[in-house]
Amino acid sequence: MTTDTKLAPGDAAPDFALPTADGGTVSLDTYRGKRVILYFYPAAMTPGCTKQACDFRDNLGQLTAEGFVVLGVSKDKPEKLAKFAERDALTFPLLSDPDLTVHQAYGAYGAKKLYGKEVVGVIRSTFVIDGDGKVEQALYNVKATGHVASLKKKLGLS
């Protein structure tokens, strides 16, 4: 199932509760009062997704100091996310959404172009959510490489 729902700044961010790589559960509500960077990526341990995750890891100190929480979401099972986190020393929560419910709620799953063909799949997307649970930024079809630098610039952090 796909959805054409796209979020925009000012929209209420859909709440969720998802399992983590370490066996816990994270909900958006947990972070009320903090700004959250929620990013969706196609698959753990693939080259582009690894580059993007390591980029967030390498910038986590600055993002945390500026009051942001980073959460990564994929359709991978928690066991695979745990391997990904361990292999690449990822220190922010990786969340598992195997049935794509949260992906769809955020418009991060649907038709996209891949090598010139239209396919249905995970749309690499990033959302900045304010402390009141409202979307500040909704970025769809982002590039894995250079995305964190671009995001920091949009947030006035670079």
Side-chain angles (χ1 to χ4, degrees), residues 25-43:
T25 300
V26 164
S27 74
L28 183 58
D29 207 39
T30 306
Y31 298 105
R32 195 66 78 210
K34 294 185 186 259
R35 291 169 84 195
V36 174
I37 296 171
L38 180 69
Y39 83 97
F40 292 84
Y41 60 97

Side-chain angles (χ1 to χ4, degrees), residues 8-153:
D11 288 348
D15 200 10
F16 57 82
L18 290 173
T20 63
D22 63 9
T25 300
V26 164
S27 74
L28 183 58
D29 207 39
T30 306
Y31 298 105
R32 195 66 78 210
K34 294 185 186 259
R35 291 169 84 195
V36 174
I37 296 171
L38 180 69
Y39 83 97
F40 292 84
Y41 60 97
M45 302 178 53
T46 57
C49 296
T50 298
K51 171 79 179 115
Q52 186 180 24
C54 290
D55 218 359
F56 273 113
R57 176 200 66 204
D58 295 346
N59 286 279
L60 195 59
Q62 181 187 9
L63 293 169
T64 302
E66 295 287 345
F68 290 96
V69 172
V70 175
L71 303 173
V73 182
S74 75
K75 63 186 187 312
D76 298 301
K77 301 245 181 284
E79 302 77 39
K80 185 173 183 185
L81 296 177
K83 286 182 187 147
F84 187 34
E86 185 177 339
R87 185 192 78 176
D88 293 297
L90 304 176
T91 54
F92 54 87
L94 298 177
L95 312 180
S96 173
D97 182 30
D99 65 5
L100 300 168
T101 304
V102 179
H103 283 73
Q104 290 172 355
Y106 279 82
Y109 186 82
K112 64 179 184 173
K113 291 260 192 248
L114 189 64
Y115 305 113
K117 288 187 177 153
E118 184 149 310
V119 297
V120 173
V122 174
I123 300 166
R124 190 182 302 275
S125 308
T126 299
F127 303 88
V128 179
I129 302 163
D130 72 17
D132 296 323
K134 295 267 188 254
V135 175
E136 280 182 36
Q137 307 233 2
L139 309 169
Y140 293 96
N141 296 305
V142 301
K143 302 276 181 243
T145 303
H147 173 58
V148 175
S150 166
L151 180 63
K152 283 171 44 178
K153 196 172 284 180

